[in-house]
């Protein structure tokens, strides 16, 4: 409904959820904190550009504190002030998942939409925004910054230093190093730079929302500012009394804000549900976009084409098998028709005989003869029926046997083709095919052509085996020649090894000679060392005298430092007595620091004079020692 209200409430909730644990952990470590009396207030600006992800502050965040000594207040005691140490800064950890690929892609889409809506003059593409160059990043930053300040112009020199400085000036809560500006598009630097741009874009959006509010918006902003001031005053008073949580005040403040902006809870719930559903759909689409759908479809197409070829070949084999079966079926049908016609003639004769039997008078002999012929005819019919059934059964057995033989032949043919592909004999353009076709196609030709193809392939294979054997014999001869050359090289190596042993013996003799000469030189060096030891003892006596004067100056310096610490303790005690008047404390501290600096300068000048005087005396003594050493050396040379 009102963008500023939503942003304000989300920022306030992130502060309530993120800052309170940090303050509670800091209170537990209250004995280690420095005094809050002479501190400057910390300005915590709300951070935008986080895509509704709260930024909790770590309970172990480091703070720079005052150097005026520790606090004396205990745990749960009332606070004297809400100010932190001089120049207090807080190292805040960025809680945004900038190294999550889906989050980075979401930020890139929002950046592209914003630049497109605002009329970015440069060229934009998703590929460019994946890893932009430093020049492109500077152009985008300048364009977004001009939305805040239309008079802004990016300087031509030292851009890598200007961009982090501008972000720091705007109050960006995280560190953007200068080194990252030299390689913005790198995988380890682009997410941080992208997060900074999203933060800047959110600032632009909030500024645009606040810049042109309607009458109702101005009224709501005014009322919300009054409510926020009341809420801040109430929570601050409780905070000063030692409270850490303000749940009741937070709930009351949110209720007042919802009442002011007429927030519909049911609408918010439905909108959250819609947002969750849309987020799930976006994640699903992103996962699908990450996989190469075109490549998977192409692979599926290739698999389907291979299956189609296999089905076509299988269909061709089935067609040929079907033709053979149809041919056999036509032959069997012709035989069956002949048998049926013969059966019909026999039935016709039987009918005629029955007709004659009914119309004529027969003697018992004729009846017996007719019955005998009838029995013979029935036996003939039964035998023919059995022969027909046997023929059909034989036909079926032959078909099954043919199918089994064909299946075995196809398996052997597949093994042959598999072995030929391993040997690179198939297809014709294979490495070892030599332009010959070694592939057997059983259903394309007849039986005679199959025998001819078999003999031709056998001849070509025999020729290929002969070539391989010749190549093997040639390689064997080459191996023997290489072994002979290897033996010759080994003999040469043994000769060289003997020569090397002789050279090592000569080197050993030279080393023994060198060792004797070194021993002579060592004896001479020992004699010179004894002479130098006497000179060194004389030099140490002189150094003791020099160090005595230096120790006195060091003691004076320690006394001055002790006096400085005493003065510093006195100043700290005086400061604690005037805690209620901050302005007078600052002036007193400044005056006292100036007096202390003058005292230190006087002590430093006094110590410097003493040290310079001692150094001059030491230099004179060392110069005399050097002159004595030179005289001693000249006398030693003359002797």
């Amino acid at each position: 409904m009102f963008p500023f209200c939503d942003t304000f409430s989300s920022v306030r909730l992130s502060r309530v959820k993120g800052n309170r644990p940090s303050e509670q952990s800091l209170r537990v470590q209250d004995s280690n904190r420095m005094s809050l009396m002479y501190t400057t207030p910390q300005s915590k600006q709300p951070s935008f550009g986080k895509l509704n992800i709260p930024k909790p502050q770590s309970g172990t965040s480091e703070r720079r504190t005052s150097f005026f000594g520790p606090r004396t207040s205990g745990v749960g005691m009332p606070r004297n002030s809400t100010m932190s140490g001089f120049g207090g800064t807080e190292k805040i950890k960025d809680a945004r998942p900038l190294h999550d690929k889906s989050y980075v892609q979401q930020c890139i889409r929002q950046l592209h939409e914003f630049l497109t809506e605002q009329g970015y003059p440069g060229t934009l593409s998703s590929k460019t925004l994946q890893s932009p160059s430093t020049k492109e990043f500077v152009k985008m930053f300048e364009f977004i910054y001009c939305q805040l300040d239309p008079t802004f112009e990016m300087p031509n020199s030292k851009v890598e230093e200007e961009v982090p400085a501008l972000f720091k000036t705007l109050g960006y809560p995280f560190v953007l190093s200068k080194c990252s500006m030299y390689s913005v598009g790198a995988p380890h630097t682009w997410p941080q730079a992208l997060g900074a741009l999203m933060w800047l874009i959110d600032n632009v959006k909030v500024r645009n929302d606040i810049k042109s509010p309607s009458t109702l918006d101005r009224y709501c902003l005014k009322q919300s500012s009054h409510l926020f001031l009341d809420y801040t005053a109430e929570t601050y008073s409780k905070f000063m009394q030692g409270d850490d949580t303000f749940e009741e005040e937070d709930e009351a403040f949110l209720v007042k804000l919802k009442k002011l902006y007429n927030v519909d809870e049911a609408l918010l719930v439905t909108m959250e549900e819609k947002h969750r559903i849309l987020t799930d759909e976006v994640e699903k689409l992103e996962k699908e976009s990450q996989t190469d759908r075109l490549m998977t479809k192409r692979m599926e197409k290739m698999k389907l084409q291979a299956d189609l070829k296999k089905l076509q070949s299988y269909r061709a084999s089935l067609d040929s098998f079907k033709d053979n079966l149809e041919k056999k079926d036509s032959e069997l049908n012709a035989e069956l028709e002949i048998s049926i016609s013969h059966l019909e003639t026999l039935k016709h004769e039987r009918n005629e005989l029955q007709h004659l039997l009914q119309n004529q008078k027969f003697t018992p002999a004729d009846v017996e003869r007719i019955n005998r012929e009838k029995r013979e005819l029935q036996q003939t019919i039964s035998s023919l029926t059995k022969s027909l059934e046997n023929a059909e059964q034989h036909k079926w057995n032959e078909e099954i046997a043919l199918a089994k033989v064909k299946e075995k032949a196809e398996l052997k043919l597949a093994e042959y083709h598999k072995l030929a592909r391993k040997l690179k004999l198939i297809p014709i353009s294979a490495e070892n095919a030599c332009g010959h076709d070694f592939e057997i196609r059983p259903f394309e030709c007849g039986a005679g052509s199959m025998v001819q193809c078999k003999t031709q392939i056998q001849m070509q294979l025999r020729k290929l085996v002969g070539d391989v054997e010749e190549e093997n014999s040639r390689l064997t001869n080459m191996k023997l020649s290489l072994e002979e050359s290897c033996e010759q090289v080994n003999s040469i190596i043994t000769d060289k090894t003997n020569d090397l042993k002789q050279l090592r013996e000569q080197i050993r003799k030279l080393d023994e000679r060198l060792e004797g000469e070194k021993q002579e030189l060592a004896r001479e060096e020992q004699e010179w060392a004894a002479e130098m030891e006497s000179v060194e003892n004389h030099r140490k006596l002189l150094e003791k005298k020099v160090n005595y004067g230096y120790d006195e100056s060091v003691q004076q310096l320690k006394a001055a430092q002790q006096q400085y610490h005493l003065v510093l303790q006195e100043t700290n005690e005086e400061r604690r007595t005037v805690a209620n008047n901050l302005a007078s404390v600052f002036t007193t501290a400044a005056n006292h620091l100036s007096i202390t600096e003058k005292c230190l300068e006087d002590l430093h000048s006094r110590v410097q004079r003493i040290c310079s005087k001692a150094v001059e005396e030491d230099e004179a003594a060392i110069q005399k020692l050097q002159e004595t050493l030179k005289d001693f050396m000249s006398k030693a040379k003359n002797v």
Side-chain angles (χ1 to χ4, degrees):
M1 189 182 295
F2 300 103
F4 177 74
C5 179
D6 296 338
T7 306
F8 177 78
S9 60
S10 64
V11 170
R12 181 57 204 162
L13 285 172
S14 65
R15 285 183 177 180
V16 171
K17 293 177 181 178
N19 291 343
R20 302 318 304 165
S22 176
E23 291 170 358
Q24 186 175 2
S25 62
L26 286 174
R27 185 176 300 105
V28 173
Q29 300 171 358
D30 193 41
S31 60
N32 295 325
R33 288 200 303 179
M34 309 306 284
S35 176
L36 296 175
M37 205 161 75
Y38 303 102
T39 56
T40 56
Q42 264 186 338
S43 62
K44 295 182 181 178
Q45 297 181 1
S47 58
F48 303 101
K50 300 179 183 177
L51 303 175
N52 296 327
I53 296 175
K55 179 177 70 63
Q57 295 181 358
S58 174
T60 59
S61 59
E62 301 178 2
R63 293 172 179 258
R64 296 181 188 172
T65 55
S66 173
F67 56 87
F68 288 115
R71 285 184 58 180
T72 58
S73 60
V75 177
M77 295 295 290
R79 296 168 178 79
N80 294 326
S81 175
T82 58
M83 304 178 188
S84 58
F86 278 119
T89 58
E90 192 172 285
K91 293 182 180 179
I92 304 172
K93 184 179 178 182
D94 194 350
R96 294 176 292 179
L98 295 176
H99 295 287
D100 187 3
K101 291 183 179 179
S102 60
Y103 180 80
V104 172
Q105 294 299 324
Q106 186 180 358
C107 293
I108 289 172
R109 285 197 301 273
Q110 292 187 0
L111 176 61
H112 186 273
E113 291 174 0
F114 178 80
L115 294 176
T116 306
E117 290 174 358
Q118 299 297 327
Y120 180 66
T123 57
L124 285 174
S125 65
S126 58
K127 186 177 180 181
T128 305
L129 294 178
Q130 294 295 331
S131 59
S133 61
T134 304
K135 187 177 180 181
E136 293 171 346
F137 175 78
V138 170
K139 285 184 179 180
M140 289 188 287
F141 171 76
E142 183 179 3
F143 178 77
I144 298 170
Y145 195 91
C146 287
Q147 304 296 321
L148 295 172
D149 185 8
T151 61
F152 172 73
E153 291 183 1
M154 180 63 71
N156 296 325
S157 61
K158 295 183 178 180
V159 177
E160 292 79 7
E161 297 179 1
E162 287 292 332
V163 172
L166 289 171
F167 271 111
K168 188 175 181 181
T169 305
L170 288 173
Y172 186 58
F174 311 114
V175 178
L176 195 63
S177 62
K178 297 177 183 178
C179 299
S180 62
M181 293 293 104
Y182 291 98
S183 58
V184 175
H188 63 283
T189 56
W190 172 231
Q192 282 76 16
L194 179 62
L197 288 179
M198 296 307 299
W199 179 85
L200 189 60
I201 287 172
D202 286 339
N203 279 336
V204 172
K205 290 179 179 179
V206 172
R207 178 182 174 275
N208 292 335
D209 291 337
I210 298 174
K211 189 174 180 182
S212 57
S214 62
T215 306
L216 182 59
D217 290 342
R218 286 196 293 271
Y219 171 76
C220 291
L221 289 174
K222 187 175 180 181
Q223 293 297 324
S224 63
S225 62
H226 286 304
L227 290 174
F228 180 69
L229 289 174
D230 295 338
Y231 167 78
T232 306
E234 187 176 355
T235 54
Y236 179 74
S237 62
K238 290 189 176 182
F239 179 76
M240 293 299 293
Q241 292 175 4
D243 291 343
D244 289 325
T245 57
F246 312 102
E247 295 179 356
E248 295 179 358
E249 289 77 6
D250 292 341
E251 291 178 359
F253 179 66
L254 289 175
V255 168
K256 290 178 181 178
L257 282 178
K258 289 178 182 179
K259 185 177 180 181
L260 177 63
Y261 288 101
N262 295 324
V263 177
D264 190 356
E265 294 290 343
L267 180 61
L268 285 177
V269 172
T270 55
M271 294 299 288
E272 288 177 357
E273 184 67 22
K274 288 180 181 178
H275 180 267
R276 186 183 61 79
I277 294 169
L278 292 173
T279 305
D280 295 339
E281 291 180 356
V282 168
E283 290 178 356
K284 184 178 178 182
L285 292 173
E286 286 177 354
K287 290 179 180 178
E288 290 179 357
S289 64
Q290 289 177 1
T291 58
D292 193 352
R293 298 176 65 186
L294 181 60
M295 185 58 68
T296 55
K297 294 297 182 184
R298 286 178 179 173
M299 294 296 292
E300 290 178 0
K301 182 181 177 182
M302 292 173 66
K303 290 179 181 178
L304 291 174
Q305 287 178 352
D307 294 339
L308 180 62
K309 289 180 180 178
K310 291 180 181 178
L311 287 173
Q312 287 176 352
S313 62
Y314 183 68
R315 181 183 176 185
S317 63
L318 287 177
D319 290 338
S320 61
F321 183 68
K322 181 181 177 183
D323 293 336
N324 293 328
L325 291 178
E326 287 177 352
K327 186 177 179 181
K328 290 183 178 180
D329 185 59
S330 62
E331 292 175 357
L332 292 173
N333 287 330
E335 293 178 359
L336 184 63
E337 287 177 357
I338 292 169
S339 300
I340 290 170
S341 62
H342 183 62
L343 181 63
E344 286 179 354
T345 55
L346 291 174
K347 287 180 178 180
H348 184 67
E349 289 178 359
R350 188 190 66 178
N351 292 329
E352 289 179 353
L353 291 172
Q354 286 179 355
H355 182 68
L356 290 171
L357 180 62
Q358 291 175 0
N359 295 329
Q360 294 180 2
K361 293 180 179 180
F362 296 99
T363 61
D366 293 334
V367 171
E368 186 178 355
R369 181 178 56 80
I370 291 168
N371 290 329
R372 186 173 61 252
E373 290 178 356
K374 180 182 178 182
R375 286 194 296 272
E376 290 176 356
L377 289 173
Q378 287 178 350
Q379 290 177 358
T380 304
I381 291 168
S382 62
S383 63
L384 289 174
T385 304
K386 288 180 180 179
S387 63
L388 179 63
E389 291 176 354
N390 292 330
E392 290 179 351
Q393 184 66 30
H394 180 68
K395 173 187 174 184
W396 175 252
N397 293 332
E398 290 293 330
E399 289 176 355
I400 292 173
L402 180 62
K404 290 180 180 179
V405 170
K406 184 178 179 182
E407 187 176 357
K408 291 179 180 178
E410 287 178 352
L411 290 173
K412 291 183 179 179
L413 185 61
E415 291 178 358
Y416 167 76
H417 285 164
K418 185 177 180 180
L419 182 60
R421 286 191 180 89
K422 285 184 179 179
L423 297 174
K424 299 181 179 179
L425 296 175
I426 295 175
I428 299 175
S429 59
E431 183 178 352
N432 299 326
C434 299
H436 300 293
D437 189 7
F438 289 96
E439 187 174 0
I440 298 175
R441 301 175 180 84
F443 302 109
E444 292 183 0
C445 306
S449 60
M450 281 293 297
V451 174
Q452 184 180 358
C453 182
K454 180 181 178 181
T455 56
Q456 184 178 0
I457 289 173
Q458 286 178 351
M459 290 174 62
Q460 292 172 358
L461 288 174
R462 289 193 187 98
K463 183 179 178 182
L464 185 62
V465 169
D467 295 338
V468 171
E469 288 177 352
E470 290 178 0
E471 183 69 17
N472 191 13
S473 62
R474 186 180 66 79
L475 292 174
T476 304
N477 295 329
M478 186 183 293
K479 179 183 177 183
L480 293 173
S481 62
L482 288 173
E483 287 177 352
E484 291 176 358
S485 61
C486 184
E487 290 177 357
Q488 293 176 1
V489 171
N490 288 330
S491 63
I492 294 169
I493 288 171
T494 54
D495 296 337
K496 294 295 181 182
T497 305
N498 295 328
D499 295 339
L500 183 62
K501 288 180 180 178
Q502 294 176 1
L503 291 173
R504 285 178 177 173
E505 184 65 25
Q506 293 177 3
I507 290 169
R508 186 182 62 78
K509 292 178 181 179
L510 292 173
D511 289 337
E512 290 177 354
R513 184 179 175 184
L514 179 63
E515 188 66 26
E517 292 179 356
K518 283 183 178 179
Q519 289 177 359
E520 292 179 0
L521 290 173
R523 285 195 297 271
E524 292 178 358
E525 286 180 357
Q526 287 178 358
E527 293 175 358
W528 283 104
E531 293 178 0
M532 290 297 295
E533 187 175 359
S534 62
V535 176
E536 185 69 20
N537 291 330
H538 185 65
R539 185 182 65 81
K540 287 180 179 179
L541 291 172
L542 294 176
E543 282 183 354
K544 286 181 180 179
K545 294 179 181 180
V546 173
N547 290 330
Y548 178 74
Y550 176 74
D551 291 336
E552 288 181 354
S553 61
V554 169
Q555 289 178 0
Q556 291 177 2
L557 179 62
K558 288 182 178 179
Q561 287 178 351
Q562 290 177 358
Q563 185 179 0
Y564 167 72
H565 287 300
L566 291 173
V567 172
L568 184 61
Q569 288 180 358
E570 291 175 359
T571 54
N572 287 332
E573 289 176 358
E574 290 176 359
R575 287 173 183 172
R576 292 190 185 94
T577 57
V578 289
N580 293 327
N581 194 350
L582 188 60
S584 62
V585 168
F586 280 129
T587 54
T588 304
N591 293 331
H592 188 73
L593 284 174
S594 62
I595 293 168
T596 307
E597 287 176 358
K598 287 180 182 180
C599 292
L600 288 174
E601 288 175 359
D602 294 339
L603 288 172
H604 182 68
S605 60
R606 192 185 307 166
V607 170
Q608 193 172 7
R609 284 198 300 272
I610 293 169
C611 290
S612 61
K613 186 176 180 181
V615 169
E616 288 175 359
E617 291 176 357
D618 294 341
E619 287 178 354
I622 290 169
Q623 190 173 4
K624 289 179 181 180
L625 180 61
Q626 289 177 353
E627 290 175 356
T628 306
L629 182 61
K630 287 179 180 178
D631 294 338
F632 178 76
M633 293 295 288
S634 62
K635 288 178 182 180
K637 287 180 180 179
N638 293 329
V639 173

